[in-house]
Structures are given as C-alpha cells and as structure tokens.
C-alpha cells in the first residue's frame, strides 16, 4: 500500500510542477504578448462609427456592430491563432520568418545557395514526428523548387509581412498612447487637442529613450498592469451591461450581422476597417512565442483575455445602444465617474506596455531578417544577461521614434491612424494565412484539401476586412503601404546583393588542382602563426586567397578558411555549431571551419573563440586519425567531407589548456613578433579594455604514447602557430554591376546595395574581430 502511494506521489509531483510552470508562464505572457490586443477597446468603437456609419445611430446598428466584433474576435484570434497557428511554431519560435524557415527546411525554397547536407543533420532541423519527405503534394514542391521566380515571390511575400510588422512598431505606440491620453479631454474639457498631442509625443519620446535599458528592469510591472487593466475593463463592461441594456447578449447571434448589412450596405462594409481593430495584436500571440509555450499563451487567452474583452465590447455596446449621441466619442465615456481617474492611469500604463511589446517584437523581426540575409548589418545590443534573446537595436529604435512622432503630429486623430493600422495588421494576418497553408502541406504533411480549406475560410474573411481598409488609403491608409515599400526595397536589395556576391565567389573559387600543384608550401613563404580567412563559401578555396598571395607572396603556416553562416533554425546547439574539415593533404596545414548559428542565436563577443577554434581543429585531427579511411591518400572527391565537433565536452581533448597571466609568462611564450610589435600590441590592449580582458591561455600537447608521431607533429604545429599569433583576413569588397546589365540591376547594385553597404556596420565589427589583428584585402566584384 505504501509503495503504491509512493508511486502516485512521484507521478503527481511532475504533473504539479508542470501546471505551476504553465500558470507562471501564462501570467508572464500578459505583459509581453497581450499588451496590444488588450488595449484595442480604447479605439474600436470610435473608429467604427467615425465615418458614414454615424448616420445610423440606433440600437439595431449597435447590435450589428457588436455581433461583427464578437464573431471576428472568435474566428480569428480564438479559432485561427489559438487553435491552429500556435501549433506551427518553429522549435518554440513564431512569426512570418519562423514559418518561412520551416518551409525552407522541408522544401528547398531558399534563394541563398549555401545549404549543406550536414545542416539537415541538426537536431532541430526537422519537427519531431515529421520525417523529411515530399509531403502530401510532391508535384507542388517540385514546381516551387524548380521555378526560381516562384521562390522569389514567396520571399517577397514574407518580406511584405516582415515590413508590415515593422510598420506595426510605428503605428501601435502612436494609436495606443494617443487614445489613452485623449481621455483627458473627457474630464478636462478646456484642454485643447494640440496639448493632448504634445503630451502623447512626450510619452512616446520617453518610451523610446528608455529602450536602451532593456525591458527586464520593469518587466515585473508589465503583467500586473495588463491584468489589472483587463479585470477593470471587464468589470466596467459587466456594469454597463447590467445598468444600460441587459438584453445586449442577443447581439451575439449572427442574425444581427445580416440585418446590419441589409440596413447599412456599402457604408457597413467600409466600417469593417474599424471593426478589425478589435483583433489587432493577435499576431503577437504567434510572433512573441519565443519566451513562452503555446499552452501558456492559450491558457492566458481562454481564461482571461477572451472573457474580459468580450465583456468590455458588450458593455460598451450596451452603453451606446441607450446613448446613441455618444457614438462618435470613445471608450472613456463609458467609465463611471468615481473610477475615471484610476482607469485613466491604468489605461495609459497599459498603452505603454502594449507599445513596448510591439517595439521589442520589431527588434526581433529585424534580427531575424538580418540573420537570414535580408537586412543590412546593424548594431544588436543584448540588454539582459539572463533573458535569452532580449535585444535592442539603436538605429531601428531611433527610426521608429522619428516615424512614430511624425505620424502622431501629422494625423493627430486615432481614426486616421487606425485606418493605417488596420491595413498593416490585416496584411500580416493574410501573409500568415498563406504561409500556414504551405505549412499544412510541406511540414504537417496533410492533404492539400485541408490547406485549401484553411486558406479559403480564413483568407476570405481577412480579404474582406483588408478590402474595407484599402478604401481608406487616402485617409491615412497610405502610411503602412509607403513604409512597407521602403523596408521591402531595403531588404530585397540587400538580399539580392548578397546573393549575387555569393554566386560570384562560387564561380571564381580557386581550383583544388591548382592548389595541389603548388606543393605543401603553396609556392609562397609560410610564416609562423594562424591565418583565419573569412569567406562565405562553404566549399572550395575563395578567390580572396589567390588575390592576397598575388600581392603579398607570404602566408601563415596554418591556414583556416572560416565561414560564419546562419542556418534556417532558431537555435543551434553548441555541440553542433562547429563543422571542421581539411583542405588538401595533411602536410599543407589547411583547414575549413564552418560556424553555424540560428536566426535567434546570440553571437556574443566570445573571448574564447580563438581557443575554441584551435581546440575544434585539434579534435578533428584526432578524429581523422582514428578513422581507418584517413590512412588512405588524399582524394579530391572527399574535399567537401566535414565533421561535427563537440566543443562542450572536454573528454578526449587532445590538448591541455592552461591559463597564464603576467609579463614573465608572456615572455616565455614562443612568439614570432619583434619587440616593437609586442610593445605596440601591449599599448593597444591597454587602450582597449575589451581586448585586455580576453582570456590568455597556453596550449600543450600531452605526452601520449598511443598518439601517432604524425598526429603529434600536426598538433604541435597547430599549437606553435597559435602561440605565434592569429591574423584575421577579410575581403573589402566593392560590388559593381556589369556594363551589360539592365538599368534596374545597375540601380539595385551600384546605387541601392552600394549605399546600404557603406552606411551599415562593417563585417569585422559585426564579427567582433580585434582591429590590431585584421588584414583587409580589396576586391572588385562584377556581378
């Protein structure tokens, strides 16, 4: 009996821990995921009744609007996102680029030709339970893979969605803060509207100015603010239902939607641009999934978000049905006078929280675009040591601030901003719907009929709402279209330039036969040290190598061709990050190392990078020696063969690594540098604290009788080269279009890409290369 009780207790403990973690994550999600969605009641009814719909000021119209809001909120956020889309996460990550990366892994839809077979062996490459196969429509997969134009269209659709997310980062703070601050005019009737706009701009500038501190210092306040706000508006909604019109529940019947359109006709269709604002922020449930689980987001929505917002919309409609003259006014008219000021304060704080969540999501989408080669290099600051992936991008922050303040000052009306906001949100939702249909086919491997049903059902609803919003392009709806065009142009031109540059490198790489014909010395002087040659190629010797030795016929005794690349997965385990291979026979001392990162990985300024690289090459030398096939003579056919090197496991390490500090130790270290060079390096390290704090180590080859002499000699050569110093060689490229190119291509390469390359961060800064060890080789690419 006691044994059975013990077993039951052991089973209950993990279950209790699971539910505790689930509730904790659900609580935290309120402050990050639902800030935008929960502030929608501030402006939904005001935007809906702002146009010609104000001519229909009667109870029947109000019932029809409420019925539309209820069914819209039920079908899109609840049915589409909570029930279906949240199941399509990419190893816990969401958003348009997460769906695109899933598609690129299950079908060859990426335009960058740097994929390797070894990437498919990553543990997170395929979804659990879904083997890599053609899916339910192999003909569709073959069609998309064969036609480059179709893959380009798919990329443009994804970039459009990403651009609209950035547009949300401009419009959400503007409409949320201006709506909350407009409540001052309800009680302070003498306050001019320009003063409200000025106060809103001050709040917005303060919000963006504090971004560099990161959200973790005030994150503990976010969830309570949103929860207090939700229960407050839910309670106010329930009060208004009981006080003004208890029969408002009848409007939940879809029959009132039919009556609404019969009565209002075209005016009712145009008013859908205001009704769709009730579901703005739904995309955040999927886009901000990274720090939560889909179960926790679902629990928070079903238990609190959905009932509180439905009560609020019903209460607001009950108030309007008996006070039709208040239709053009907003949310604050429905608040009972005794609780007005507390609700106003909470509403302002909730608007700031909602804005913060969208700004953080914008930073994340820009980083994802950059990682997948679709955005120029920008400075990414990691604001939290504990919360993985919390970032701040200064350039994007200030661009968003300027645009946000400009929109607020120019429009000064939540209705006009709402017109723009609706187009941005509906476009993102349509892009998600389209990508989800492809996910159903290629990733979930379901019948194409299910994908078509999903696309037609939700796509038609969203298309109707989008068509209504597009009617308001002259009244502010042009803003997201202009912003999307600008950001899409920047992203596609950058991606196009990178692609053409990679193809040029691929076509002009050095032949291995010409390398082998030079002999072990490569026909040049081999000096002590390690030469790290950065290249984007995953196979072959880049043309930068021959360009360098042509102008300076000397190179280091150990050559490492280093490729730092992003793979279409959110995270790459440290145990799977390093791929190491050999170029040429062993006596050439030439290696290739590919360092793989996911699109959400943090590429920190790792002081230990050089040491990890040396240790990885040493492990590869040992693994190769243990392989029976390595005893065979060198074969060009095996040139692309590489091995995954585990860097976190110290077991079986062929080298011992010891820390050393102080002048006495450094003087005993073998170095090929002269006294003047060492003094220059010492002064540089004193001026650069980041460099002086780097970990100093000394490698030693252990005395192991089981180790072959050839392996020991190669390890000794590697260690001595590391102690002599490491030099970083990069190409300083100038990319120009050929004279025979079309005008559009010349403009994209010579003007667009050239401008972006000159005004973004340099690759050496992005890769944290020490300036004193950097050698740049100038090259002109005619693409």
């Amino acid at each position: 009996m006691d044994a059975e009780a013990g077993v039951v207790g052991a089973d209950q403990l993990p279950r209790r821990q699971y539910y505790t973690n689930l509730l904790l994550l659900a609580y935290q999600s309120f402050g990050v995921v639902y800030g935008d969605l929960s502030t929608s009641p501030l402006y939904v009814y005001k935007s809906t009744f702002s146009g010609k719909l104000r001519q229909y000021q009667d109870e029947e119209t109000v019932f029809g609007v409420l019925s539309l809001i209820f069914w819209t909120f039920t079908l899109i956020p609840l049915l589409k996102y909570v029930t279906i889309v949240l199941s399509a996460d990419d190893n816990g990550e969401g958003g348009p680029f997460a769906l695109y990366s899933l598609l690129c892994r299950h079908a060859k839809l990426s335009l960058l030709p740097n994929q390797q077979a070894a990437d498919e062996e990553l543990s997170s490459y395929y979804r659990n339970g879904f083997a890599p196969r053609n899916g339910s429509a192999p003909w569709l997969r073959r069609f998309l893979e064969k036609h480059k134009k179709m893959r380009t269209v798919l990329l443009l659709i994804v970039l459009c969605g990403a651009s609209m997310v950035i547009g949300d980062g401009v419009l959400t703070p503007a409409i949320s803060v201006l709506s909350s601050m407009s409540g001052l005019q309800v009680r302070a009737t003498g306050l001019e509207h320009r003063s409200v706009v000025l106060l809103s701009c001050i709040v917005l500038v303060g919000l963006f100015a504090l971004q560099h501190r990161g959200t973790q210092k005030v994150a503990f306040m976010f969830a309570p603010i949103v929860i207090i706000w939700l229960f407050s508006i839910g309670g106010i909604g329930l009060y208004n239902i009981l006080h003004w019109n208890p029969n408002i529940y009848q409007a939940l019947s879809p029959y009132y939607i039919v009556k609404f359109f019969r009565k209002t006709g075209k005016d009712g269709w145009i008013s859908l641009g205001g009704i769709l604002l009730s579901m703005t922020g739904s995309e955040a449930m999927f886009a901000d999934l990274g720090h939560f689980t889909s179960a926790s987001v679902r629990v928070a929505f079903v238990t609190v978000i959905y009932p509180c917002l439905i009560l609020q919309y019903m209460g607001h409609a009950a108030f309007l049905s008996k006070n039709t003259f208040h239709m053009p006014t907003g949310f604050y008219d429905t608040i009972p006078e005794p609780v007005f000021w507390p609700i106003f304060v909470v509403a302002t704080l909730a608007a700031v929280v909602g804005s913060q969540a969208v700004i953080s999501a914008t930073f994340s989408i820009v980083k994802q675009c950059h990682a997948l080669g679709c955005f120029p290099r920008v400075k990414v600051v990691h604001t939290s040591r504990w919360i993985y992936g919390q970032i701040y991008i200064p350039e994007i922050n200030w661009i968003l601030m300027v645009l946000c303040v400009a929109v607020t000052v120019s429009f000064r009306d939540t209705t006009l901003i709402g017109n723009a906001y609706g187009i941005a949100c509906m476009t993102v939702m349509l892009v998600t719907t389209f990508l989800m249909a492809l996910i159903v086919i290629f990733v979930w491997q379901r019948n194409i009929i299910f994908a078509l049903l999903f696309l037609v059902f939700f796509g038609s609803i969203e298309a109707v709402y989008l068509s209504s919003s597009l009617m308001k392009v002259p009244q502010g709806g042009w803003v997201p279209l202009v912003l999307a065009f600008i950001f899409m142009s920047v992203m596609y031109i950058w991606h196009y330039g990178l692609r053409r540059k990679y193809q040029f490198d691929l076509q002009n790489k050095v032949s291995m036969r010409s390398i082998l014909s030079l002999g072990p010395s490569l026909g040049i002087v081999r000096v002590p040290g390690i030469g790290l040659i950065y290249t984007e190629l995953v196979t072959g010797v880049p043309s930068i190598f021959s360009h360098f030795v042509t102008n300076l016929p000397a190179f280091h005794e150990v050559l490492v061709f280093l490729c730092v690349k992003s793979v279409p997965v959110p995270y790459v385990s440290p145990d799977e990050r390093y791929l190491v291979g050999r170029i040429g026979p062993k006596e050439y001392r030439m290696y290739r190392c590919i360092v793989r990162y996911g699109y959400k990985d943090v590429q920190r300024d790792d002081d230990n990078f050089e040491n990890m690289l040396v240790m990885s090459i040493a492990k590869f030398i040992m693994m190769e020696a243990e392989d029976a096939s390595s005893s065979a003579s060198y074969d060009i056919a095996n040139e692309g063969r590489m091995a995954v090197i585990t860097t976190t496991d110290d077991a079986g390490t062929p080298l011992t690594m010891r820390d050393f500090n102080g002048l006495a130790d450094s003087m005993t270290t073998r170095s090929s540098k002269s006294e003047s060079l060492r003094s220059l390096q010492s002064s540089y390290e004193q001026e650069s604290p980041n460099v002086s704090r780097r970990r100093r180590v000394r490698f030693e080859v252990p005395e192991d009788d089981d180790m072959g002499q050839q392996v020991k000699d190669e390890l000794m050569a590697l260690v001595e080269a590391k102690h002599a110093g490491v030099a970083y060689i990069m190409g300083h490229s100038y990319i120009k279009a050929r004279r025979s190119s079309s005008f559009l291509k010349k403009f994209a390469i010579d003007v667009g890409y050239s401008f972006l390359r000159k005004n973004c961060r340099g690759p050496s800064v992005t890769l944290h290369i020490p300036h004193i060890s950097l050698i740049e080789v100038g090259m002109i690419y005619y693409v």
Side-chain angles (χ1 to χ4, degrees), residues 28 92 94 109 144-145 200 225 262 270 317 320-321 419 429 481 483 492 500 502 555 566 629 671 693 715 726 763:
Q28 293 173 344
L109 303 179
L144 293 174
E145 292 178 348
S200 300
I225 288 171
R262 281 179 182 172
I270 294 176
L320 290 178
S321 66
N419 294 339
M429 289 183 180
L481 300 179
L483 291 176
Y492 185 76
R500 299 299 300 179
Y502 188 90
F555 227 109
S566 292
S629 62
S671 176
R693 285 199 301 265
L715 290 175
V726 179

Side-chain angles (χ1 to χ4, degrees), residues 39-65:
T39 53
S40 295
L42 287 170
Y43 42 78
V44 168
Y45 280 102
K46 183 180 179 181
S47 297
T48 303
F49 286 101
S50 61
K52 293 183 179 180
L53 204 64
R54 69 177 62 182
Q55 300 173 4
Y56 307 89
Q57 296 189 5
D58 54 51
E59 184 174 333
E60 186 176 313
T61 304
V62 173
F63 274 46
V65 169

Side-chain angles (χ1 to χ4, degrees), residues 594-640:
I594 298 175
V595 187
R596 302 178 292 184
Y597 288 96
Y599 59 81
K600 294 284 284 186
D601 266 324
V602 179
Q603 298 185 31
R604 296 186 184 276
D605 184 4
D606 196 350
D607 298 343
N608 208 24
F609 174 73
E610 291 179 6
N611 301 330
M612 292 177 67
L613 186 65
V614 171
M615 195 66 75
S616 299
I617 295 173
K619 286 186 176 182
F620 168 76
I621 294 171
M622 290 292 294
M623 289 174 60
E624 190 184 42
E626 293 171 359
D627 188 359
S629 62
S630 65
S631 58
S633 59
Y634 177 75
D635 183 7
I636 296 180
N638 294 326
E639 180 60 40

Side-chain angles (χ1 to χ4, degrees), residues 432-564:
T432 301
T433 301
F434 175 75
L435 294 176
M436 272 299 303
L438 296 179
I439 291 291
V440 171
I441 299 172
F442 296 130
V443 181
W444 291 356
Q445 300 166 0
R446 300 294 176 85
N447 196 296
I448 194 172
I449 295 176
F450 290 103
L452 290 175
L453 288 174
F454 178 88
L455 181 62
V456 171
F457 181 74
F458 292 108
S460 59
I461 296 173
E462 291 161 355
V464 170
Y465 276 107
L466 182 61
S467 65
S468 172
S469 297
L470 291 175
M471 294 295 294
K472 299 178 180 179
V473 168
Q475 292 85 37
W478 56 270
V479 172
L481 300 179
V482 172
L483 291 176
F485 176 77
I486 294 173
F487 283 111
M488 275 186 68
S489 300
V490 168
M491 290 191 282
Y492 185 76
I493 287 174
W494 183 261
H495 185 270
Y496 178 75
L498 282 184
R499 198 167 74 239
R500 299 299 300 179
K501 181 176 179 293
Y502 188 90
Q503 289 171 348
F504 181 91
D505 278 332
L506 201 61
Q507 293 167 2
N508 294 274
K509 62 183 180 181
V510 182
S511 167
M512 270 311 301
R513 296 192 182 277
S514 62
I515 291 288
L516 294 176
S517 66
L518 298 174
S521 68
L522 303 179
I524 55 178
V525 178
R526 302 293 289 267
V527 299
I530 296 178
L532 290 184
I533 306 170
Y534 276 88
T535 174
E536 295 176 1
L537 292 178
V538 294
T539 58
V541 177
S543 57
I544 180 181
F545 175 71
S546 60
H547 195 73
F548 183 90
V549 298
T550 301
N551 293 276
L552 185 64
F555 227 109
H556 302 81
E557 60 183 351
V558 174
L559 299 179
V560 181
F561 293 91
L562 185 65
C563 174
V564 179

Side-chain angles (χ1 to χ4, degrees), residues 5-37:
V7 172
V8 172
D11 290 339
Q12 287 178 347
L13 186 61
R15 187 178 301 174
R16 187 179 304 167
Q17 185 67 34
Y18 168 78
Y19 287 121
T20 302
N21 293 336
L22 178 65
L23 293 176
L24 181 62
L25 286 173
Y27 166 78
Q28 293 173 344
S29 69
F30 285 106
V32 177
V33 176
Y34 294 114
D36 185 14
L37 187 64

Side-chain angles (χ1 to χ4, degrees), residues 122 151 194 218 238 282 292 298 310 347 443 447 461-462 472 491 512 546 551 567 590 621 644 661 673 741 748 764-765:
L122 290 169
R151 288 183 285 144
R194 68 177 67 180
V218 290
L238 184 60
S282 301
F292 308 98
R298 287 181 173 121
I310 292 298
V443 181
N447 196 296
I461 296 173
E462 291 161 355
K472 299 178 180 179
M491 290 191 282
M512 270 311 301
S546 60
N551 293 276
V567 287
M590 296 170 64
I621 294 171
V644 179
N661 294 294
K673 296 176 182 177
S741 302
S764 60
V765 179

